[in-house]
Amino acid sequence: MPRLLIITSTTRPGRTGTAVADWALGLAREQAGFDVALADLAEIGLPFLDEPDHPSESAYIHEHTRRWSATVDAADAFLILAAEYNRGITAPLKNALDTLYSEWAGKPVGYISYGMSSAGLRAVEMITPVAIALGMTPLPDVVTLPLREVVDSDGLLVPGERRERSVHALLGELRRYSEALSQLRKPAAT
């Protein structure tokens, strides 16, 4: 069964990203088709890129980079939970992407974005060229969570059935693309 890696993009205490991750993880696990794992960047604690060689060399000297490499390499598809901070991508997510290179290639990536005024879409706009440069295939449809609409007065995430259906559709597309792109990830015949 293909492996889906859900990646959080925030690390601060009290973040909404934890609720978004729990929600997305629950939906992904209830929908058959993937072995699902969560990469919480706060728990992983990846330092800013500290490898002496370019990531394309895959010559990692630090154990934290080797662990991150193994986690990403084992995935067949990615679902990035893209928070928007100050109209852009979060530093921990950009760092997590830049730390590796070949581990991302030939795999689809989907997004659930969240934030205030643009529901995280500006972050997705910044992540997408990075994903393309790393050889990923970004899916066109983004599930958006405008926080003013989906967080209730008690601070609980309440995305609603329409957004749940959108996530299920996105997961279906990730599975479809993952299967198609798996052919590209096979070693070339010599």
Side-chain angles (χ1 to χ4, degrees), residues 100-168:
L100 305 176
Y101 187 74
S102 62
E103 295 88 342
W104 302 108
K107 300 172 184 179
V109 58
Y111 307 102
I112 296 175
S113 69
Y114 60 100
M116 291 301 186
S117 58
S118 78
L121 283 173
R122 291 179 289 209
V124 171
E125 289 175 355
M126 291 180 77
I127 298 165
T128 299
V130 175
I132 291 168
L134 292 169
M136 288 186 266
T137 301
L139 300 187
D141 293 329
V142 177
V143 177
T144 59
L145 300 175
L147 294 181
R148 288 186 180 98
E149 294 176 25
V150 300
V151 175
D152 69 12
S153 60
D154 294 323
L156 299 175
L157 185 69
V158 187
E161 288 181 30
R162 181 178 58 84
R163 288 187 177 89
E164 286 185 14
R165 286 192 304 273
S166 295
V167 171
H168 283 297

Side-chain angles (χ1 to χ4, degrees), residues 4-186:
L4 173 67
L5 185 63
I6 299 174
I7 303 171
T8 64
S9 63
T10 60
T11 58
R12 71 175 176 80
R15 60 200 161 123
T16 302
T18 302
V20 174
D22 291 344
W23 177 67
L25 190 60
L27 292 174
R29 286 185 172 154
E30 78 182 30
Q31 182 169 332
F34 280 113
D35 173 26
V36 182
L38 176 68
D40 185 334
L41 295 182
E43 291 177 9
I44 292 169
L46 199 62
F48 279 106
L49 183 55
D50 61 351
E51 293 288 341
D53 291 315
H54 191 278
S56 64
E57 299 295 322
S58 299
Y60 309 126
I61 64 169
H62 298 296
E63 185 57 33
H64 54 260
T65 309
R66 287 191 205 110
R67 282 192 307 271
W68 182 231
S69 171
T71 298
V72 171
D73 196 47
D76 299 295
F78 306 103
L79 179 59
I80 294 178
L81 309 179
E84 181 178 315
Y85 281 10
N86 302 314
R87 299 185 179 208
I89 186 175
T90 65
L93 178 58
K94 180 68 164 84
N95 181 61
L97 292 167
D98 289 344
T99 296
L100 305 176
Y101 187 74
S102 62
E103 295 88 342
W104 302 108
K107 300 172 184 179
V109 58
Y111 307 102
I112 296 175
S113 69
Y114 60 100
M116 291 301 186
S117 58
S118 78
L121 283 173
R122 291 179 289 209
V124 171
E125 289 175 355
M126 291 180 77
I127 298 165
T128 299
V130 175
I132 291 168
L134 292 169
M136 288 186 266
T137 301
L139 300 187
D141 293 329
V142 177
V143 177
T144 59
L145 300 175
L147 294 181
R148 288 186 180 98
E149 294 176 25
V150 300
V151 175
D152 69 12
S153 60
D154 294 323
L156 299 175
L157 185 69
V158 187
E161 288 181 30
R162 181 178 58 84
R163 288 187 177 89
E164 286 185 14
R165 286 192 304 273
S166 295
V167 171
H168 283 297
L170 178 59
L171 291 168
E173 284 297 281
L174 278 169
R175 172 66 192 245
R176 205 166 69 86
Y177 274 73
S178 174
E179 289 171 356
L181 291 172
S182 69
Q183 298 304 310
L184 295 177
R185 294 192 307 272
K186 290 180 181 176

